[in-house]
Amino acid sequence: STASGPSPPQGLLAGSLLFGCWQGRPMAASSASYGEAGGPPGLAGRGLAGRARLAEAVGGGRYRLWSGASIIDASRPPAAREERAFLKVTEISKMKGQSLVCAQNAKLIAVNLRYIAYAMKEGNVRVINQNGQEMFKLSSTTQARILDLAINGTGVATKEQGTMLICTDEKAHVSIYVLDCANGRTGEERTRRSELVFPMDDREKPLRVLGHPTDNQVFFTLHEAHASAWNFARLNGDQPRDNRDAKSFLTHSVTDNLMRRVTCHARLSVQIQDAAVSVDGHCLAVLGADGCATLFRLPGSSSIGG
C-alpha cells in the first residue's frame, strides 16, 4: 500500500490487427513516470521502493503498513498451525541432478484443468495427468534447452478445448504438441507434433511464447522487437500425416510466404520486455524497453493470416 503510488502510463497505443498487420494509433505522446527514477522501480531500486519499510506481520495473514511505502514479505512470518491445514503438498516428480534456469518473465511450467507440464533437460517436456494415473515425456528434434513454455486449452478432449503445448528453445525452434488428438494407448502416442524453424538471427529468433486464453488454435511468439500471432489451424490445415510414426514432426521453415499465410505481426521501435494477453483474449499488451505499453486489439483465428 502506498500513499503516493506511481503515475499511470501515458504512452499507451490503441490498434487493430487486420489484414496481416497491426496498425497503431497513439492516444497520448508523453511517457510514463514512476517515482524518482523515471522508470518502474524494483525493490532495491530508487523511487518509492528505495524509501519503503518492511511491513509488520500481525498474524492471520495481516500486516501493519507504514505511511509512504511498505514491503510485504510473505515468507518471513511463520505459518500458524491452522494455516498449515490450508495447504496440501503432493510430490509428483523428482528432478534428480537437474536444475532449470529461465529468462526473465519466461515460464518452464504450464498447467490447465487436466495436465501439468514442465521443461526438462535436453529439450524434453514432462506431462502429468492431474488424475495421477498417467505420466509421459515429449522430446523435441533439437535436444536444445527450452527457453519458454505455454499451454492452450482447458484440457477437455475436444477440438475447441483440447490441450496444446508450445515451447521455444535455444536453437530457434518452436515445438507444438497437440495432446489427445490421435489414437494410441499412451499419452505420447496420442500426441501430434509440429515445429517452426526460425532463422538463427538475433532479431528473428523467438525468445518467448504465449498461449491464448480462449482460442486454443492461436499462440504468440515474442522476438527482439516484434510479436507474432500464429493461426495453428491454418498452419497445419488438413495436411496428411504418416500415422505409423507417432513421434514424427510436421516441420515448417519460417519464410516470408509462410508468415503471410498464417501470421500477423506487431513491430516496436524498441526491444520487447514482456507481453500478456487479456483474459477475454481481445487484447495483447506489449511492454517496450522505453517504458511504454502498447495495446493491440486481437481478432479471431480466422482473421490471422490468409
Side-chain angles (χ1 to χ4, degrees), residues 107 110 125 146 148-153 163-169 173-179 194 196 208-212 216-221 230 232:
K107 302 170 296 298
V125 177
I146 292 175
D148 199 11
L149 172 68
I151 195 167
N152 269 359
T163 300
M164 178 190 296
L165 294 174
I166 309 107
C167 314
T168 185
D169 63 34
H173 283 226
V174 171
S175 302
I176 306 160
Y177 305 99
V178 183
L179 279 54
S194 302
L196 296 168
R208 294 272 313 280
V209 289
L210 295 175
H212 194 286
N216 69 347
Q217 297 297 302
V218 175
F219 64 92
F220 304 86
T221 55
W230 293 82
F232 181 76

PDB file of all heavy atoms in Angstrom, residues 107 110 125 146 148-153 163-169 173-179 194 196 208-212 216-221 230 232:
ATOM      1  N   LYS A 107       8.445 -18.932 -18.573  1.00  0.00           N
ATOM      2  CA  LYS A 107       7.854 -19.990 -17.755  1.00  0.00           C
ATOM      3  C   LYS A 107       8.395 -21.336 -18.211  1.00  0.00           C
ATOM      4  O   LYS A 107       8.522 -21.585 -19.405  1.00  0.00           O
ATOM      5  CB  LYS A 107       6.329 -19.985 -17.886  1.00  0.00           C
ATOM      6  CG  LYS A 107       5.685 -18.666 -17.481  1.00  0.00           C
ATOM      7  CD  LYS A 107       4.222 -18.627 -17.851  1.00  0.00           C
ATOM      8  CE  LYS A 107       4.010 -18.681 -19.348  1.00  0.00           C
ATOM      9  NZ  LYS A 107       4.616 -17.506 -20.035  1.00  0.00           N
ATOM     10  N   ALA A 110       3.644 -25.248 -17.024  1.00  0.00           N
ATOM     11  CA  ALA A 110       2.343 -24.794 -17.520  1.00  0.00           C
ATOM     12  C   ALA A 110       1.272 -25.774 -17.058  1.00  0.00           C
ATOM     13  O   ALA A 110       1.513 -26.984 -16.996  1.00  0.00           O
ATOM     14  CB  ALA A 110       2.349 -24.690 -19.047  1.00  0.00           C
ATOM     15  N   VAL A 125       9.906 -32.355 -22.415  1.00  0.00           N
ATOM     16  CA  VAL A 125       8.806 -31.849 -21.597  1.00  0.00           C
ATOM     17  C   VAL A 125       8.133 -33.030 -20.920  1.00  0.00           C
ATOM     18  O   VAL A 125       7.755 -34.011 -21.582  1.00  0.00           O
ATOM     19  CB  VAL A 125       7.771 -31.085 -22.450  1.00  0.00           C
ATOM     20  CG1 VAL A 125       6.597 -30.626 -21.579  1.00  0.00           C
ATOM     21  CG2 VAL A 125       8.413 -29.895 -23.141  1.00  0.00           C
ATOM     22  N   ILE A 146      15.094 -25.601 -23.356  1.00  0.00           N
ATOM     23  CA  ILE A 146      13.835 -24.876 -23.542  1.00  0.00           C
ATOM     24  C   ILE A 146      13.923 -23.528 -22.846  1.00  0.00           C
ATOM     25  O   ILE A 146      14.345 -23.427 -21.688  1.00  0.00           O
ATOM     26  CB  ILE A 146      12.654 -25.706 -23.004  1.00  0.00           C
ATOM     27  CG1 ILE A 146      12.456 -26.949 -23.877  1.00  0.00           C
ATOM     28  CG2 ILE A 146      11.374 -24.880 -22.947  1.00  0.00           C
ATOM     29  CD1 ILE A 146      11.394 -27.900 -23.363  1.00  0.00           C
ATOM     30  N   ASP A 148      11.101 -21.172 -22.977  1.00  0.00           N
ATOM     31  CA  ASP A 148       9.782 -20.762 -22.508  1.00  0.00           C
ATOM     32  C   ASP A 148       8.764 -21.814 -22.902  1.00  0.00           C
ATOM     33  O   ASP A 148       8.954 -22.552 -23.879  1.00  0.00           O
ATOM     34  CB  ASP A 148       9.409 -19.396 -23.095  1.00  0.00           C
ATOM     35  CG  ASP A 148       8.289 -18.703 -22.328  1.00  0.00           C
ATOM     36  OD1 ASP A 148       7.938 -19.173 -21.231  1.00  0.00           O
ATOM     37  OD2 ASP A 148       7.773 -17.685 -22.822  1.00  0.00           O
ATOM     38  N   LEU A 149       7.671 -21.873 -22.129  1.00  0.00           N
ATOM     39  CA  LEU A 149       6.659 -22.909 -22.305  1.00  0.00           C
ATOM     40  C   LEU A 149       5.286 -22.288 -22.066  1.00  0.00           C
ATOM     41  O   LEU A 149       5.113 -21.484 -21.145  1.00  0.00           O
ATOM     42  CB  LEU A 149       6.917 -24.044 -21.304  1.00  0.00           C
ATOM     43  CG  LEU A 149       5.891 -25.165 -21.175  1.00  0.00           C
ATOM     44  CD1 LEU A 149       5.860 -25.994 -22.453  1.00  0.00           C
ATOM     45  CD2 LEU A 149       6.255 -26.057 -19.985  1.00  0.00           C
ATOM     46  N   ALA A 150       4.308 -22.632 -22.902  1.00  0.00           N
ATOM     47  CA  ALA A 150       2.945 -22.134 -22.741  1.00  0.00           C
ATOM     48  C   ALA A 150       1.972 -23.258 -23.022  1.00  0.00           C
ATOM     49  O   ALA A 150       2.311 -24.266 -23.648  1.00  0.00           O
ATOM     50  CB  ALA A 150       2.680 -20.950 -23.684  1.00  0.00           C
ATOM     51  N   ILE A 151       0.739 -23.084 -22.542  1.00  0.00           N
ATOM     52  CA  ILE A 151      -0.289 -24.105 -22.730  1.00  0.00           C
ATOM     53  C   ILE A 151      -1.570 -23.435 -23.224  1.00  0.00           C
ATOM     54  O   ILE A 151      -1.917 -22.330 -22.807  1.00  0.00           O
ATOM     55  CB  ILE A 151      -0.530 -24.885 -21.416  1.00  0.00           C
ATOM     56  CG1 ILE A 151      -1.313 -26.164 -21.673  1.00  0.00           C
ATOM     57  CG2 ILE A 151      -1.206 -24.017 -20.371  1.00  0.00           C
ATOM     58  CD1 ILE A 151      -1.307 -27.134 -20.499  1.00  0.00           C
ATOM     59  N   ASN A 152      -2.272 -24.107 -24.120  1.00  0.00           N
ATOM     60  CA  ASN A 152      -3.567 -23.666 -24.630  1.00  0.00           C
ATOM     61  C   ASN A 152      -4.619 -24.703 -24.289  1.00  0.00           C
ATOM     62  O   ASN A 152      -4.329 -25.910 -24.200  1.00  0.00           O
ATOM     63  CB  ASN A 152      -3.535 -23.482 -26.147  1.00  0.00           C
ATOM     64  CG  ASN A 152      -3.156 -22.078 -26.560  1.00  0.00           C
ATOM     65  OD1 ASN A 152      -2.925 -21.205 -25.736  1.00  0.00           O
ATOM     66  ND2 ASN A 152      -3.081 -21.840 -27.862  1.00  0.00           N
ATOM     67  N   GLY A 153      -5.877 -24.274 -24.160  1.00  0.00           N
ATOM     68  CA  GLY A 153      -6.983 -25.189 -23.945  1.00  0.00           C
ATOM     69  C   GLY A 153      -7.187 -25.544 -22.487  1.00  0.00           C
ATOM     70  O   GLY A 153      -6.266 -25.480 -21.666  1.00  0.00           O
ATOM     71  N   THR A 163      -5.797 -29.718 -25.427  1.00  0.00           N
ATOM     72  CA  THR A 163      -4.553 -29.166 -24.903  1.00  0.00           C
ATOM     73  C   THR A 163      -3.495 -29.054 -25.989  1.00  0.00           C
ATOM     74  O   THR A 163      -3.230 -30.011 -26.724  1.00  0.00           O
ATOM     75  CB  THR A 163      -4.009 -30.042 -23.762  1.00  0.00           C
ATOM     76  OG1 THR A 163      -4.982 -30.097 -22.716  1.00  0.00           O
ATOM     77  CG2 THR A 163      -2.703 -29.484 -23.212  1.00  0.00           C
ATOM     78  N   MET A 164      -2.869 -27.882 -26.069  1.00  0.00           N
ATOM     79  CA  MET A 164      -1.733 -27.651 -26.946  1.00  0.00           C
ATOM     80  C   MET A 164      -0.589 -27.086 -26.111  1.00  0.00           C
ATOM     81  O   MET A 164      -0.772 -26.124 -25.373  1.00  0.00           O
ATOM     82  CB  MET A 164      -2.088 -26.669 -28.068  1.00  0.00           C
ATOM     83  CG  MET A 164      -0.914 -26.344 -29.002  1.00  0.00           C
ATOM     84  SD  MET A 164      -1.288 -24.974 -30.139  1.00  0.00           S
ATOM     85  CE  MET A 164      -2.606 -25.686 -31.108  1.00  0.00           C
ATOM     86  N   LEU A 165       0.585 -27.683 -26.216  1.00  0.00           N
ATOM     87  CA  LEU A 165       1.795 -27.177 -25.559  1.00  0.00           C
ATOM     88  C   LEU A 165       2.680 -26.517 -26.604  1.00  0.00           C
ATOM     89  O   LEU A 165       2.891 -27.077 -27.679  1.00  0.00           O
ATOM     90  CB  LEU A 165       2.556 -28.313 -24.881  1.00  0.00           C
ATOM     91  CG  LEU A 165       1.873 -28.995 -23.700  1.00  0.00           C
ATOM     92  CD1 LEU A 165       2.700 -30.190 -23.235  1.00  0.00           C
ATOM     93  CD2 LEU A 165       1.677 -28.024 -22.554  1.00  0.00           C
ATOM     94  N   ILE A 166       3.201 -25.350 -26.279  1.00  0.00           N
ATOM     95  CA  ILE A 166       4.077 -24.612 -27.195  1.00  0.00           C
ATOM     96  C   ILE A 166       5.380 -24.319 -26.463  1.00  0.00           C
ATOM     97  O   ILE A 166       5.362 -23.771 -25.357  1.00  0.00           O
ATOM     98  CB  ILE A 166       3.428 -23.290 -27.666  1.00  0.00           C
ATOM     99  CG1 ILE A 166       2.012 -23.544 -28.196  1.00  0.00           C
ATOM    100  CG2 ILE A 166       4.289 -22.633 -28.732  1.00  0.00           C
ATOM    101  CD1 ILE A 166       0.921 -23.059 -27.288  1.00  0.00           C
ATOM    102  N   CYS A 167       6.512 -24.682 -27.057  1.00  0.00           N
ATOM    103  CA  CYS A 167       7.829 -24.476 -26.441  1.00  0.00           C
ATOM    104  C   CYS A 167       8.752 -23.802 -27.444  1.00  0.00           C
ATOM    105  O   CYS A 167       8.707 -24.109 -28.639  1.00  0.00           O
ATOM    106  CB  CYS A 167       8.469 -25.799 -26.011  1.00  0.00           C
ATOM    107  SG  CYS A 167       7.394 -26.921 -25.126  1.00  0.00           S
ATOM    108  N   THR A 168       9.619 -22.932 -26.955  1.00  0.00           N
ATOM    109  CA  THR A 168      10.685 -22.398 -27.800  1.00  0.00           C
ATOM    110  C   THR A 168      12.016 -22.728 -27.155  1.00  0.00           C
ATOM    111  O   THR A 168      12.131 -22.776 -25.923  1.00  0.00           O
ATOM    112  CB  THR A 168      10.535 -20.883 -28.015  1.00  0.00           C
ATOM    113  OG1 THR A 168      11.528 -20.438 -28.940  1.00  0.00           O
ATOM    114  CG2 THR A 168      10.670 -20.105 -26.721  1.00  0.00           C
ATOM    115  N   ASP A 169      13.049 -22.964 -27.975  1.00  0.00           N
ATOM    116  CA  ASP A 169      14.332 -23.397 -27.424  1.00  0.00           C
ATOM    117  C   ASP A 169      15.489 -22.550 -27.959  1.00  0.00           C
ATOM    118  O   ASP A 169      15.305 -21.624 -28.751  1.00  0.00           O
ATOM    119  CB  ASP A 169      14.564 -24.893 -27.699  1.00  0.00           C
ATOM    120  CG  ASP A 169      14.656 -25.229 -29.189  1.00  0.00           C
ATOM    121  OD1 ASP A 169      15.175 -24.413 -29.968  1.00  0.00           O
ATOM    122  OD2 ASP A 169      14.220 -26.325 -29.578  1.00  0.00           O
ATOM    123  N   HIS A 173      13.832 -23.036 -32.505  1.00  0.00           N
ATOM    124  CA  HIS A 173      12.725 -23.896 -32.888  1.00  0.00           C
ATOM    125  C   HIS A 173      11.561 -23.667 -31.930  1.00  0.00           C
ATOM    126  O   HIS A 173      11.761 -23.490 -30.734  1.00  0.00           O
ATOM    127  CB  HIS A 173      13.120 -25.372 -32.827  1.00  0.00           C
ATOM    128  CG  HIS A 173      13.963 -25.827 -33.969  1.00  0.00           C
ATOM    129  ND1 HIS A 173      13.725 -27.001 -34.655  1.00  0.00           N
ATOM    130  CD2 HIS A 173      15.052 -25.273 -34.552  1.00  0.00           C
ATOM    131  CE1 HIS A 173      14.631 -27.153 -35.605  1.00  0.00           C
ATOM    132  NE2 HIS A 173      15.453 -26.116 -35.559  1.00  0.00           N
ATOM    133  N   VAL A 174      10.344 -23.668 -32.463  1.00  0.00           N
ATOM    134  CA  VAL A 174       9.136 -23.676 -31.643  1.00  0.00           C
ATOM    135  C   VAL A 174       8.463 -25.032 -31.854  1.00  0.00           C
ATOM    136  O   VAL A 174       8.048 -25.356 -32.969  1.00  0.00           O
ATOM    137  CB  VAL A 174       8.187 -22.529 -32.012  1.00  0.00           C
ATOM    138  CG1 VAL A 174       6.844 -22.687 -31.296  1.00  0.00           C
ATOM    139  CG2 VAL A 174       8.803 -21.179 -31.666  1.00  0.00           C
ATOM    140  N   SER A 175       8.396 -25.824 -30.799  1.00  0.00           N
ATOM    141  CA  SER A 175       7.768 -27.143 -30.864  1.00  0.00           C
ATOM    142  C   SER A 175       6.335 -27.041 -30.369  1.00  0.00           C
ATOM    143  O   SER A 175       6.070 -26.415 -29.342  1.00  0.00           O
ATOM    144  CB  SER A 175       8.545 -28.147 -30.005  1.00  0.00           C
ATOM    145  OG  SER A 175       9.893 -28.246 -30.432  1.00  0.00           O
ATOM    146  N   ILE A 176       5.404 -27.651 -31.101  1.00  0.00           N
ATOM    147  CA  ILE A 176       3.976 -27.575 -30.798  1.00  0.00           C
ATOM    148  C   ILE A 176       3.460 -28.996 -30.627  1.00  0.00           C
ATOM    149  O   ILE A 176       3.560 -29.824 -31.544  1.00  0.00           O
ATOM    150  CB  ILE A 176       3.215 -26.858 -31.924  1.00  0.00           C
ATOM    151  CG1 ILE A 176       3.838 -25.491 -32.197  1.00  0.00           C
ATOM    152  CG2 ILE A 176       1.740 -26.720 -31.570  1.00  0.00           C
ATOM    153  CD1 ILE A 176       3.480 -24.925 -33.555  1.00  0.00           C
ATOM    154  N   TYR A 177       2.921 -29.292 -29.457  1.00  0.00           N
ATOM    155  CA  TYR A 177       2.402 -30.620 -29.154  1.00  0.00           C
ATOM    156  C   TYR A 177       0.897 -30.509 -28.914  1.00  0.00           C
ATOM    157  O   TYR A 177       0.452 -29.786 -28.014  1.00  0.00           O
ATOM    158  CB  TYR A 177       3.066 -31.201 -27.912  1.00  0.00           C
ATOM    159  CG  TYR A 177       4.575 -31.251 -27.978  1.00  0.00           C
ATOM    160  CD1 TYR A 177       5.346 -30.271 -27.353  1.00  0.00           C
ATOM    161  CD2 TYR A 177       5.235 -32.271 -28.653  1.00  0.00           C
ATOM    162  CE1 TYR A 177       6.733 -30.306 -27.399  1.00  0.00           C
ATOM    163  CE2 TYR A 177       6.624 -32.317 -28.710  1.00  0.00           C
ATOM    164  CZ  TYR A 177       7.368 -31.330 -28.081  1.00  0.00           C
ATOM    165  OH  TYR A 177       8.739 -31.360 -28.133  1.00  0.00           O
ATOM    166  N   VAL A 178       0.107 -31.232 -29.714  1.00  0.00           N
ATOM    167  CA  VAL A 178      -1.345 -31.265 -29.536  1.00  0.00           C
ATOM    168  C   VAL A 178      -1.695 -32.607 -28.902  1.00  0.00           C
ATOM    169  O   VAL A 178      -1.519 -33.661 -29.518  1.00  0.00           O
ATOM    170  CB  VAL A 178      -2.079 -31.078 -30.873  1.00  0.00           C
ATOM    171  CG1 VAL A 178      -3.593 -31.046 -30.641  1.00  0.00           C
ATOM    172  CG2 VAL A 178      -1.613 -29.801 -31.557  1.00  0.00           C
ATOM    173  N   LEU A 179      -2.173 -32.576 -27.673  1.00  0.00           N
ATOM    174  CA  LEU A 179      -2.428 -33.788 -26.911  1.00  0.00           C
ATOM    175  C   LEU A 179      -3.820 -34.348 -27.207  1.00  0.00           C
ATOM    176  O   LEU A 179      -4.746 -33.610 -27.563  1.00  0.00           O
ATOM    177  CB  LEU A 179      -2.298 -33.507 -25.408  1.00  0.00           C
ATOM    178  CG  LEU A 179      -0.889 -33.483 -24.797  1.00  0.00           C
ATOM    179  CD1 LEU A 179       0.049 -32.536 -25.503  1.00  0.00           C
ATOM    180  CD2 LEU A 179      -0.950 -33.181 -23.299  1.00  0.00           C
ATOM    181  N   SER A 194       4.273 -30.726 -34.210  1.00  0.00           N
ATOM    182  CA  SER A 194       4.663 -29.821 -35.291  1.00  0.00           C
ATOM    183  C   SER A 194       5.793 -28.950 -34.779  1.00  0.00           C
ATOM    184  O   SER A 194       6.003 -28.820 -33.558  1.00  0.00           O
ATOM    185  CB  SER A 194       3.487 -28.933 -35.726  1.00  0.00           C
ATOM    186  OG  SER A 194       2.383 -29.699 -36.142  1.00  0.00           O
ATOM    187  N   LEU A 196       8.141 -25.141 -35.796  1.00  0.00           N
ATOM    188  CA  LEU A 196       8.509 -23.995 -36.610  1.00  0.00           C
ATOM    189  C   LEU A 196      10.007 -23.793 -36.484  1.00  0.00           C
ATOM    190  O   LEU A 196      10.542 -23.754 -35.364  1.00  0.00           O
ATOM    191  CB  LEU A 196       7.784 -22.736 -36.136  1.00  0.00           C
ATOM    192  CG  LEU A 196       6.256 -22.728 -36.258  1.00  0.00           C
ATOM    193  CD1 LEU A 196       5.680 -21.564 -35.477  1.00  0.00           C
ATOM    194  CD2 LEU A 196       5.845 -22.664 -37.715  1.00  0.00           C
ATOM    195  N   ARG A 208      10.241 -15.829 -26.492  1.00  0.00           N
ATOM    196  CA  ARG A 208       9.158 -16.195 -25.588  1.00  0.00           C
ATOM    197  C   ARG A 208       7.993 -16.736 -26.407  1.00  0.00           C
ATOM    198  O   ARG A 208       7.876 -16.472 -27.603  1.00  0.00           O
ATOM    199  CB  ARG A 208       8.674 -14.963 -24.805  1.00  0.00           C
ATOM    200  CG  ARG A 208       9.652 -14.337 -23.827  1.00  0.00           C
ATOM    201  CD  ARG A 208       9.565 -14.984 -22.464  1.00  0.00           C
ATOM    202  NE  ARG A 208       8.195 -15.126 -22.007  1.00  0.00           N
ATOM    203  CZ  ARG A 208       7.463 -14.142 -21.467  1.00  0.00           C
ATOM    204  NH1 ARG A 208       7.977 -12.936 -21.323  1.00  0.00           N
ATOM    205  NH2 ARG A 208       6.228 -14.371 -21.073  1.00  0.00           N
ATOM    206  N   VAL A 209       7.120 -17.473 -25.761  1.00  0.00           N
ATOM    207  CA  VAL A 209       5.867 -17.911 -26.368  1.00  0.00           C
ATOM    208  C   VAL A 209       4.731 -17.621 -25.394  1.00  0.00           C
ATOM    209  O   VAL A 209       4.915 -17.656 -24.176  1.00  0.00           O
ATOM    210  CB  VAL A 209       5.879 -19.414 -26.734  1.00  0.00           C
ATOM    211  CG1 VAL A 209       6.796 -19.684 -27.911  1.00  0.00           C
ATOM    212  CG2 VAL A 209       6.271 -20.276 -25.540  1.00  0.00           C
ATOM    213  N   LEU A 210       3.564 -17.311 -25.942  1.00  0.00           N
ATOM    214  CA  LEU A 210       2.368 -17.063 -25.139  1.00  0.00           C
ATOM    215  C   LEU A 210       1.222 -17.887 -25.697  1.00  0.00           C
ATOM    216  O   LEU A 210       1.083 -18.034 -26.917  1.00  0.00           O
ATOM    217  CB  LEU A 210       1.971 -15.583 -25.166  1.00  0.00           C
ATOM    218  CG  LEU A 210       2.912 -14.554 -24.537  1.00  0.00           C
ATOM    219  CD1 LEU A 210       2.380 -13.150 -24.787  1.00  0.00           C
ATOM    220  CD2 LEU A 210       3.065 -14.798 -23.047  1.00  0.00           C
ATOM    221  N   GLY A 211       0.382 -18.404 -24.813  1.00  0.00           N
ATOM    222  CA  GLY A 211      -0.830 -19.061 -25.237  1.00  0.00           C
ATOM    223  C   GLY A 211      -1.975 -18.070 -25.331  1.00  0.00           C
ATOM    224  O   GLY A 211      -1.842 -16.891 -24.995  1.00  0.00           O
ATOM    225  N   HIS A 212      -3.110 -18.554 -25.809  1.00  0.00           N
ATOM    226  CA  HIS A 212      -4.317 -17.722 -25.909  1.00  0.00           C
ATOM    227  C   HIS A 212      -5.329 -18.243 -24.891  1.00  0.00           C
ATOM    228  O   HIS A 212      -5.562 -19.448 -24.801  1.00  0.00           O
ATOM    229  CB  HIS A 212      -4.890 -17.794 -27.325  1.00  0.00           C
ATOM    230  CG  HIS A 212      -5.913 -16.748 -27.636  1.00  0.00           C
ATOM    231  ND1 HIS A 212      -7.200 -16.806 -27.133  1.00  0.00           N
ATOM    232  CD2 HIS A 212      -5.840 -15.610 -28.376  1.00  0.00           C
ATOM    233  CE1 HIS A 212      -7.882 -15.754 -27.562  1.00  0.00           C
ATOM    234  NE2 HIS A 212      -7.083 -15.012 -28.320  1.00  0.00           N
ATOM    235  N   ASN A 216      -7.768 -22.060 -28.542  1.00  0.00           N
ATOM    236  CA  ASN A 216      -6.610 -22.952 -28.476  1.00  0.00           C
ATOM    237  C   ASN A 216      -5.898 -23.114 -29.806  1.00  0.00           C
ATOM    238  O   ASN A 216      -4.895 -23.830 -29.894  1.00  0.00           O
ATOM    239  CB  ASN A 216      -7.015 -24.333 -27.924  1.00  0.00           C
ATOM    240  CG  ASN A 216      -7.899 -25.114 -28.883  1.00  0.00           C
ATOM    241  OD1 ASN A 216      -8.423 -24.576 -29.855  1.00  0.00           O
ATOM    242  ND2 ASN A 216      -8.078 -26.400 -28.602  1.00  0.00           N
ATOM    243  N   GLN A 217      -6.396 -22.466 -30.869  1.00  0.00           N
ATOM    244  CA  GLN A 217      -5.733 -22.517 -32.160  1.00  0.00           C
ATOM    245  C   GLN A 217      -4.815 -21.319 -32.403  1.00  0.00           C
ATOM    246  O   GLN A 217      -4.209 -21.206 -33.463  1.00  0.00           O
ATOM    247  CB  GLN A 217      -6.779 -22.581 -33.283  1.00  0.00           C
ATOM    248  CG  GLN A 217      -7.641 -23.838 -33.243  1.00  0.00           C
ATOM    249  CD  GLN A 217      -6.836 -25.104 -33.434  1.00  0.00           C
ATOM    250  OE1 GLN A 217      -6.151 -25.274 -34.435  1.00  0.00           O
ATOM    251  NE2 GLN A 217      -6.916 -26.007 -32.465  1.00  0.00           N
ATOM    252  N   VAL A 218      -4.698 -20.428 -31.431  1.00  0.00           N
ATOM    253  CA  VAL A 218      -3.879 -19.227 -31.577  1.00  0.00           C
ATOM    254  C   VAL A 218      -2.795 -19.210 -30.517  1.00  0.00           C
ATOM    255  O   VAL A 218      -3.049 -19.507 -29.341  1.00  0.00           O
ATOM    256  CB  VAL A 218      -4.743 -17.949 -31.457  1.00  0.00           C
ATOM    257  CG1 VAL A 218      -3.870 -16.700 -31.498  1.00  0.00           C
ATOM    258  CG2 VAL A 218      -5.785 -17.901 -32.570  1.00  0.00           C
ATOM    259  N   PHE A 219      -1.567 -18.892 -30.910  1.00  0.00           N
ATOM    260  CA  PHE A 219      -0.489 -18.671 -29.950  1.00  0.00           C
ATOM    261  C   PHE A 219       0.384 -17.541 -30.464  1.00  0.00           C
ATOM    262  O   PHE A 219       0.247 -17.084 -31.603  1.00  0.00           O
ATOM    263  CB  PHE A 219       0.326 -19.944 -29.707  1.00  0.00           C
ATOM    264  CG  PHE A 219       1.067 -20.464 -30.903  1.00  0.00           C
ATOM    265  CD1 PHE A 219       2.384 -20.082 -31.151  1.00  0.00           C
ATOM    266  CD2 PHE A 219       0.463 -21.337 -31.799  1.00  0.00           C
ATOM    267  CE1 PHE A 219       3.079 -20.554 -32.253  1.00  0.00           C
ATOM    268  CE2 PHE A 219       1.147 -21.820 -32.900  1.00  0.00           C
ATOM    269  CZ  PHE A 219       2.453 -21.429 -33.132  1.00  0.00           C
ATOM    270  N   PHE A 220       1.296 -17.073 -29.631  1.00  0.00           N
ATOM    271  CA  PHE A 220       2.112 -15.907 -29.941  1.00  0.00           C
ATOM    272  C   PHE A 220       3.586 -16.232 -29.731  1.00  0.00           C
ATOM    273  O   PHE A 220       3.946 -16.963 -28.801  1.00  0.00           O
ATOM    274  CB  PHE A 220       1.741 -14.716 -29.047  1.00  0.00           C
ATOM    275  CG  PHE A 220       0.290 -14.332 -29.109  1.00  0.00           C
ATOM    276  CD1 PHE A 220      -0.634 -14.965 -28.295  1.00  0.00           C
ATOM    277  CD2 PHE A 220      -0.152 -13.353 -29.996  1.00  0.00           C
ATOM    278  CE1 PHE A 220      -1.980 -14.631 -28.347  1.00  0.00           C
ATOM    279  CE2 PHE A 220      -1.492 -13.006 -30.053  1.00  0.00           C
ATOM    280  CZ  PHE A 220      -2.406 -13.655 -29.228  1.00  0.00           C
ATOM    281  N   THR A 221       4.433 -15.683 -30.590  1.00  0.00           N
ATOM    282  CA  THR A 221       5.879 -15.721 -30.364  1.00  0.00           C
ATOM    283  C   THR A 221       6.368 -14.285 -30.186  1.00  0.00           C
ATOM    284  O   THR A 221       5.946 -13.382 -30.901  1.00  0.00           O
ATOM    285  CB  THR A 221       6.617 -16.379 -31.539  1.00  0.00           C
ATOM    286  OG1 THR A 221       6.280 -15.717 -32.766  1.00  0.00           O
ATOM    287  CG2 THR A 221       6.254 -17.860 -31.654  1.00  0.00           C
ATOM    288  N   TRP A 230      -0.011 -16.499 -34.325  1.00  0.00           N
ATOM    289  CA  TRP A 230       0.009 -17.629 -35.253  1.00  0.00           C
ATOM    290  C   TRP A 230      -1.343 -18.336 -35.256  1.00  0.00           C
ATOM    291  O   TRP A 230      -1.925 -18.586 -34.204  1.00  0.00           O
ATOM    292  CB  TRP A 230       1.101 -18.633 -34.849  1.00  0.00           C
ATOM    293  CG  TRP A 230       2.487 -18.099 -35.014  1.00  0.00           C
ATOM    294  CD1 TRP A 230       3.166 -17.295 -34.144  1.00  0.00           C
ATOM    295  CD2 TRP A 230       3.351 -18.323 -36.114  1.00  0.00           C
ATOM    296  NE1 TRP A 230       4.401 -16.999 -34.646  1.00  0.00           N
ATOM    297  CE2 TRP A 230       4.554 -17.623 -35.858  1.00  0.00           C
ATOM    298  CE3 TRP A 230       3.248 -19.052 -37.297  1.00  0.00           C
ATOM    299  CZ2 TRP A 230       5.638 -17.630 -36.735  1.00  0.00           C
ATOM    300  CZ3 TRP A 230       4.316 -19.058 -38.177  1.00  0.00           C
ATOM    301  CH2 TRP A 230       5.499 -18.351 -37.897  1.00  0.00           C
ATOM    302  N   PHE A 232      -2.755 -21.685 -35.823  1.00  0.00           N
ATOM    303  CA  PHE A 232      -2.291 -23.062 -35.929  1.00  0.00           C
ATOM    304  C   PHE A 232      -3.155 -23.872 -36.893  1.00  0.00           C
ATOM    305  O   PHE A 232      -2.645 -24.716 -37.633  1.00  0.00           O
ATOM    306  CB  PHE A 232      -2.284 -23.729 -34.559  1.00  0.00           C
ATOM    307  CG  PHE A 232      -1.792 -25.148 -34.584  1.00  0.00           C
ATOM    308  CD1 PHE A 232      -0.445 -25.423 -34.700  1.00  0.00           C
ATOM    309  CD2 PHE A 232      -2.690 -26.206 -34.518  1.00  0.00           C
ATOM    310  CE1 PHE A 232       0.010 -26.735 -34.743  1.00  0.00           C
ATOM    311  CE2 PHE A 232      -2.249 -27.511 -34.553  1.00  0.00           C
ATOM    312  CZ  PHE A 232      -0.890 -27.781 -34.666  1.00  0.00           C
TER     313      PHE A 232
END
